[in-house]
Amino acid sequence: MGEKGEAFVTLTTNDAYVLGSLVLAESLRRVGTKRRLVVMITNEISETLKHNLHTVFDDVHVVDLLSSEDFKNLQLLGRPDLHVTFTKLHCWNLTQYSKCVFLDADTLVIQNVDDMFEREEFSAAPDSGWPDCFNSGVFVFKPNVDTYKSLLQFAATQGTFDGGDQGLLNRYFNTWPTNDIKTHLPFTYNVVSRPFYSYPSGLKAFKQNIKIVHFIGADKPWQHPYNYSSGVVTPLPDSRHDAEFLQYWWNIFIDSVQPTLNPSAEGLIGRLAALSVDNPVDSSIMPLEEIQNLDVKLKKNCEEGR
Ligand code: UDP
Ligand code: MN
């Protein structure tokens, strides 16, 4: 199998994360990737953004937020909140590809990373919080329906120690810490954007080597105030995201994504689309009630077993 069978894959289950996936795709194009770009979406995504995704990604793959079979397992676990985790696992069903790299929608590619396809399943970079675990925002995998089923089975019996996909995948691919150093991606392939403790000196020394930045945590780049006139993003007061990385995300967003958004869209997307010289001040921070509405929608889908 050559390059055709290889793809970068991301996931978005709501309109806000679509913004991340569009910037991510654009960042991959800018570094001249030769691989295909795939996004997994759920039916929660609005029609106008689906259109945006189709123009940027080679393959838009609709997956169930939660299939009824998964739902039964989750009920057994008493953990219906794991739906998003399970959605990520759908990547193992993309068997039209021989090998893939999964990237969270809150990652940003700075330099070409096509060499990742030389690695085998399961390759990932150490987690900055607990380096004996890998971070599950960036990983190399081989689609295989049996792996998908066995991951679901594993989740139903073992669960996940952090309530997310990272805990599950680390338990499942549990030989990662010790078996084969080639499955350890360099940290520069998944650099956390929040400097802490010993981090600033490393960041300074190795900044030119960084290939992928990951905006982990509750506040994502699209929630930070941006001023269209000055072209500058101001990190939120409580955010510890590196200002330079945030700025890079916004530069790509304003150059390539914002002009393609539909100004008549509702909520966050409409407000971002409306940014202009005449309306320069950012209003991108998602109002709390919008976030809560998303949660209510997800919970309802879970209860209906979707
Ligand atoms: N995700 C999604 N919808 C959600 C939450 C997460 O589509 O409501 C996807 C998205 O690709 C995201 C990934 O799951 O990047 C992991 O979540 P997140 O990046 O928020 O976790 P963190 O990296 O902050 O731990
Ligand atoms: Mn992430």
Side-chain angles (χ1 to χ4, degrees):
M1 271 278 191
E3 293 167 7
K4 260 203 139 94
E6 298 176 343
F8 288 100
V9 178
T10 189
L11 161 72
T12 171
T13 65
N14 59 49
D15 282 2
Y17 277 93
V18 170
L19 299 171
S21 64
L22 290 170
V23 171
L24 168 63
E26 178 59 29
S27 74
L28 278 161
R29 300 267 184 229
R30 286 186 184 199
V31 297
T33 182
K34 300 224 163 35
R35 295 333 192 257
R36 292 175 72 83
L37 306 188
V38 178
V39 62
M40 300 190 295
I41 65 167
T42 56
N43 275 322
E44 271 57 39
I45 309 299
S46 62
E47 285 308 314
T48 121
L49 283 181
K50 275 186 195 162
H51 175 78
N52 283 80
L53 288 169
H54 274 282
T55 63
V56 175
F57 284 87
D58 298 304
D59 183 7
V60 178
H61 203 84
V62 182
V63 296
D64 291 335
L65 188 62
L66 193 68
S67 77
S68 50
E69 192 188 348
D70 305 342
F71 184 68
K72 263 186 261 151
N73 285 335
L74 287 174
Q75 287 288 68
L76 281 176
L77 266 179
R79 288 298 307 275
D81 56 310
L82 290 184
H83 50 266
V84 175
T85 294
F86 276 65
T87 313
K88 199 188 249 192
L89 301 184
H90 275 298
C91 70
W92 268 276
N93 289 325
L94 298 169
T95 51
Q96 60 272 52
Y97 301 103
S98 56
K99 194 188 280 181
C100 298
V101 167
F102 184 89
L103 296 171
D104 266 8
D106 62 344
T107 61
L108 181 64
V109 176
I110 311 283
Q111 299 185 48
N112 188 291
V113 286
D114 284 4
D115 61 323
M116 284 173 85
F117 291 93
E118 291 161 20
R119 309 258 175 173
E120 299 302 324
E121 174 171 286
F122 183 94
S123 295
D127 183 71
S128 64
W130 195 263
D132 283 344
C133 286
F134 54 81
N135 180 279
S136 63
V138 174
F139 60 85
V140 182
F141 70 101
K142 270 180 98 96
N144 182 326
V145 178
D146 291 337
T147 311
Y148 172 73
K149 286 186 186 152
S150 121
L151 273 164
L152 280 195
Q153 186 60 36
F154 190 82
T157 54
Q158 314 282 312
T160 158
F161 64 78
D162 67 350
D165 56 288
Q166 182 154 317
L168 172 70
L169 291 172
N170 269 281
R171 280 266 156 82
Y172 187 85
F173 294 104
N174 65 353
T175 60
W176 177 86
T178 50
N179 246 21
D180 180 2
I181 193 68
K182 290 201 207 71
T183 64
H184 288 223
L185 295 171
F187 187 64
T188 47
Y189 285 70
N190 188 354
V191 172
V192 172
S193 62
R194 296 167 187 270
F196 59 91
Y197 195 45
S198 65
Y199 216 82
S201 49
L203 199 58
K204 197 161 154 239
F206 300 112
K207 209 160 195 173
Q208 326 76 279
N209 301 349
I210 293 176
K211 300 205 185 264
I212 302 176
V213 169
H214 187 179
F215 295 96
I216 61 160
D219 59 301
K220 300 304 185 194
W222 51 88
Q223 294 167 310
H224 291 254
Y226 177 84
N227 186 308
Y228 196 94
S229 291
S230 64
V232 173
V233 57
T234 309
L236 286 169
D238 294 338
S239 159
R240 301 206 315 280
H241 287 311
D242 183 79
E244 201 176 324
F245 294 142
L246 274 182
Q247 186 65 45
Y248 188 60
W249 189 96
W250 271 91
N251 290 350
I252 294 187
F253 175 74
I254 291 292
D255 266 10
S256 304
V257 177
Q258 192 263 353
T260 69
L261 296 178
N262 181 352
S264 56
E266 284 177 14
L268 171 71
I269 309 300
R271 292 199 305 277
L272 287 172
L275 285 175
S276 69
V277 273
D278 299 326
N279 176 32
V281 179
D282 164 80
S283 47
S284 70
I285 300 165
M286 194 187 270
L288 195 60
E289 66 269 25
E290 249 180 67
I291 297 171
Q292 283 161 348
N293 277 344
L294 281 174
D295 277 354
V296 169
K297 223 165 139 186
L298 287 173
K299 280 205 189 90
K300 202 164 144 266
N301 288 338
C302 276
E303 279 154 23
E304 286 164 4
R306 276 182 53 193

